[in-house]
Amino acid sequence: MIGIFGGTFDPVHYGHLRSALEVKEIFGLSEVRLIPSAQPPHREQPAASALMRLRMLDLAIKNQPGLIIDTRELTRHGASYMVDTLKSLRQELKNEPLLLFIGSDAFNQLNTWHQWQHLFDYAHIVVMTRPGFEIQNLDDFFKARRVSEITELAHNRAGKLYFLQVTQLDISATAIRNMFAEQQNPGFLLPDTVIAYIKKHKLYQRPKSHHLH
Ligand code: ATP
């Protein structure tokens, strides 16, 4: 089984990294692909450029075997739709079960994603609990796909929904960007190498109005 972890990573932080490592171990995944988004369709554009977000991700996962960066959304033109990403991964990976990991905040908005029902044609979805985001009542579409055994994911290539409690880290990229803008110390929320990169390139200097996290 292969894990897929999409995000803006603006910047990457320990909420992403700890979750990626945990799911790799819990599901015994051969790899987790971190896929930075080029133009996120659902939100305002990232504060850091795609190349800078990629560089920060690279610094963050150095020496972490099994965590891999996949740049397909950066090399593709136009909006980054997850359904297109899964489709292209499925073409490459043929019969491998694919697990798409999303936080509970993203799951609560899943039905706004482009062709969201079709995500299940290509992958399973695993929802990771995130502090402050209760999972809303499941409708019949989700109820029909929900499973509670990991073996059910391993025995199918796609199509199932699974909920997983990961270590609760109340860390968000929005809060981190605001800390940099206000000259607060974001230490221990993200890797020191990433903090050094942000400071060197003077990223996130101005406060950005943003949705709450
Ligand atoms: P922002 O604050 O800019 O919206 P973010 O911190 O939510 O950013 P994203 O890159 O948008 O980070 O998130 C990518 C994926 O990681 C999403 O599925 C999100 O739900 C999940 N995620 C982010 N932070 C955490 C966390 N602390 N715990 C668990 N999952 C997380």
Side-chain angles (χ1 to χ4, degrees):
M1 291 199 284
I2 285 181
I4 298 150
F5 200 120
T8 324
F9 304 117
D10 188 21
V12 61
H13 55 68
Y14 285 135
H16 304 124
L17 295 164
R18 179 65 216 164
S19 306
L21 188 60
E22 257 175 53
V23 298
K24 180 177 179 293
E25 301 211 315
I26 289 168
F27 294 96
L29 304 174
S30 50
E31 60 185 53
V32 175
R33 296 202 185 192
L34 300 159
I35 308 190
S37 159
Q39 289 181 29
H42 292 112
R43 46 185 290 167
E44 66 181 78
Q45 294 305 303
S49 73
L51 271 181
M52 286 178 151
R53 291 181 290 115
L54 181 61
R55 183 76 190 116
M56 291 188 278
L57 204 48
D58 199 33
L59 290 168
I61 63 160
K62 276 225 151 60
N63 308 319
Q64 279 301 331
L67 298 190
I68 288 170
I69 302 175
D70 183 318
T71 58
R72 75 188 60 218
E73 292 196 357
L74 301 181
T75 49
R76 199 164 66 213
H77 291 294
S80 301
Y81 291 121
M82 183 50 77
V83 72
D84 296 333
T85 301
L86 294 182
K87 209 180 284 182
S88 78
L89 282 163
R90 174 52 76 205
Q91 276 166 6
E92 271 170 39
L93 299 166
K94 304 280 184 265
N95 290 321
E96 186 83 26
L98 298 181
L99 303 187
L100 171 63
F101 293 97
I102 59 176
S104 44
D105 56 317
F107 178 70
N108 285 338
Q109 298 183 10
L110 191 71
N111 62 8
T112 66
W113 291 22
H114 182 60
Q115 295 187 350
W116 63 275
Q117 292 101 328
H118 288 291
L119 298 168
F120 287 96
D121 296 346
Y122 306 105
H124 302 304
I125 296 186
V126 177
V127 181
M128 308 170 295
T129 51
R130 191 171 175 187
F133 298 95
E134 289 300 311
I135 288 164
Q136 287 155 14
N137 283 340
L138 297 185
D139 64 21
D140 289 343
F141 179 89
F142 291 130
K143 277 188 189 150
R145 285 168 176 73
R146 184 173 185 175
V147 296
S148 50
E149 297 297 331
I150 290 178
T151 49
E152 296 193 63
L153 302 176
H155 292 155
N156 295 277
R157 293 190 324 164
K160 308 290 182 197
L161 176 66
Y162 187 88
F163 292 89
L164 179 73
Q165 175 91 36
V166 294
T167 298
Q168 301 291 280
L169 295 172
D170 191 2
I171 303 175
S172 77
T174 303
I176 290 172
R177 290 192 299 275
N178 288 334
M179 291 174 92
F180 278 106
E182 284 154 25
Q183 267 113 52
Q184 292 163 356
N185 185 348
F188 310 118
L189 298 175
L190 69 172
D192 286 344
T193 48
V194 178
I195 294 177
Y197 182 92
I198 292 169
K199 287 190 174 157
K200 181 169 172 210
H201 295 274
K202 299 189 168 51
L203 291 175
Y204 310 130
Q205 299 238 305
R206 239 163 281 120
K208 285 196 93 188
S209 63
H210 214 297
H211 59 273
L212 288 175
H213 258 183

